[in-house]
Amino acid sequence: MKNRLLLCLFIMSACSSGLKQQPIAENPVQVIEEKVVQSEVSPTGVQTFPGRVRWVSFVVPKGWEGARLKCKDQFIKHVPYRPGFHYAYIAETYFSDVEKHSCALKLKDREIPVIEFLVKPYAYKSEKLKVDYRKISLSKKDQKRAAREQRILNEIYTQSAATPYFSTPFRAPLTSHITSVYGTRRVYNNAHRGQHLGTDFRAAVGVPIPATNRGKVLFADDLFYTGWTVIIDHGLDIFSVYGHLSEVKTEAGAIVNGGDIIGLSGSTGRSSGPHLHWGIKIHGNYVDGYSLIEESEKQFRK
Ligand SMILES: [Zn+2]
């Protein structure tokens, strides 16, 4: 009970810190806490956690193949799986409430519920960082640049293909030490709070970075926050992002296979040292890339 109360407090503080997912300076200094809280509620639906994605297949009655799948307030892309079934990847945001919710097929004014989700609590790690605020506060010029780039990125994330480019599970881009896991809460100079919504891998400058799966490159350029960055659309509103690269080795419009080298690691943009920042964005929200790896293995399990 005490743990659940603490978690509620944590979720409130995470929510009140705002929904903006702005990358700040990278690299942890000190891990100060680690705990996972499991809820006692017995699951009646698909169990999931904030910041994770689940792969689900569900029955689609005859005549409902063209129906839209609505989860919370979003329409989710879904595709045929085997006769009578479709599948979809359902992502919970880092800020998702701990609750039950269901997804429904909608056809004109008719609606049938198909999956129920039970979002259980999960306490992410926390780390303390000391930063120089002169490096965090942006000049007017930088603010303008960052805002302009955000508009370009927002547009890119509306361009996902309706069907998947991939036909094998997702893979982590590197196997090196992870210096910051997804969801790590960051306490800057004992005050400023944020969340790290990607995975940082240890990588010296110049390490070849492979694509995490097959997809279409929608962006390969220099950004204020994440430096040289590659964004790949895998279809179904699933995107992978590779940041702080020293060099990009692909271009917008290219179709890449999983394992193809799309760039070299580096420390460009707002980064305090060489590493790879790997992000997975699904339905507009960053989720833990390892949950996508796990769930995509279910899709291709024979
Ligand atoms: Zn990062």
Side-chain angles (χ1 to χ4, degrees):
M1 188 63 206
K2 194 181 166 198
N3 279 350
R4 292 183 65 185
L5 180 67
L6 281 172
L7 189 88
C8 290
L9 289 172
F10 149 62
I11 286 170
M12 281 162 63
S13 79
C15 290
S16 65
S17 70
L19 294 176
K20 281 230 164 80
Q21 300 172 352
Q22 287 203 340
I24 316 176
E26 300 287 353
N27 286 359
V29 173
Q30 181 196 2
V31 172
I32 55 169
E33 180 189 348
E34 180 177 12
K35 65 177 193 288
V36 174
V37 182
Q38 291 285 340
S39 139
E40 298 300 316
V41 184
S42 64
T44 55
V46 177
Q47 182 182 298
T48 188
F49 298 93
R52 303 230 168 168
V53 66
R54 286 298 306 256
W55 174 83
V56 285
S57 67
F58 50 92
V59 175
V60 176
K62 240 188 161 23
W64 284 73
E65 292 80 3
R68 302 177 85 189
L69 180 67
K70 192 176 185 188
C71 300
K72 295 184 185 172
D73 56 351
Q74 277 186 309
F75 285 106
I76 306 293
K77 293 182 171 85
H78 59 105
V79 282
Y81 179 49
R82 54 192 168 87
F85 286 82
H86 280 203
Y87 76 82
Y89 282 86
I90 311 292
E92 296 300 328
T93 81
Y94 183 86
F95 306 100
S96 281
D97 290 329
V98 174
E99 61 170 12
K100 282 183 185 172
H101 70 89
S102 58
C103 299
L105 285 171
K106 282 179 84 85
L107 193 62
K108 293 177 184 163
D109 55 350
R110 290 184 299 160
E111 183 174 317
I112 42 170
V114 286
I115 326 149
E116 188 175 66
F117 287 92
L118 179 66
V119 185
K120 296 178 96 180
Y122 189 89
Y124 286 101
K125 280 183 183 179
S126 185
E127 66 195 8
K128 267 185 176 172
L129 291 92
K130 281 205 174 75
V131 292
D132 181 350
Y133 276 115
R134 285 169 302 182
K135 287 186 179 171
I136 282 190
S137 53
L138 304 188
S139 68
K140 275 256 155 56
K141 193 176 154 215
D142 287 344
Q143 279 178 26
K144 269 193 175 166
R145 180 184 169 189
R148 187 177 66 241
E149 290 175 351
Q150 192 55 54
R151 287 194 293 274
I152 293 168
L153 294 176
N154 290 347
E155 177 59 24
I156 282 170
Y157 289 122
T158 65
Q159 293 171 16
S160 187
T163 52
Y165 284 105
F166 56 93
S167 55
T168 56
F170 285 75
R171 293 280 171 250
L174 293 177
T175 54
S176 60
H177 178 68
I178 292 171
T179 54
S180 182
V181 299
Y182 170 91
T184 306
R185 286 175 283 150
R186 289 176 165 180
V187 181
Y188 297 94
N189 302 351
N190 291 324
H192 185 80
R193 283 164 185 274
Q195 304 80 29
H196 179 238
L197 297 181
T199 305
D200 286 348
F201 293 91
R202 182 167 289 159
V205 174
V207 173
I209 304 301
T212 204
N213 209 338
R214 189 169 184 274
K216 184 179 182 180
V217 177
L218 292 190
F219 186 88
D221 212 333
D222 187 24
L223 293 168
F224 176 74
Y225 281 115
T226 51
W228 283 96
T229 302
V230 171
I231 301 174
I232 301 174
D233 171 35
H234 301 286
L236 307 179
D237 287 316
I238 301 173
F239 296 89
S240 57
V241 182
Y242 312 78
H244 309 300
L245 302 173
S246 57
E247 211 177 300
V248 298
K249 295 278 192 190
T250 186
E251 56 185 15
I255 300 288
V256 292
N257 288 310
D260 284 358
I261 303 305
I262 49 90
L264 305 178
S265 60
S267 188
T268 55
R270 287 171 82 83
S271 165
S272 58
H275 72 286
L276 173 69
H277 173 92
W278 178 58
I280 293 292
K281 197 167 203 179
I282 303 182
H283 312 137
N285 294 289
Y286 287 109
V287 300
D288 185 347
Y290 282 92
S291 70
L292 177 61
I293 290 173
E294 245 173 63
E295 293 299 304
S296 64
E297 280 166 2
K298 292 179 187 170
Q299 182 187 342
F300 297 106
R301 194 182 290 157
K302 287 283 173 257

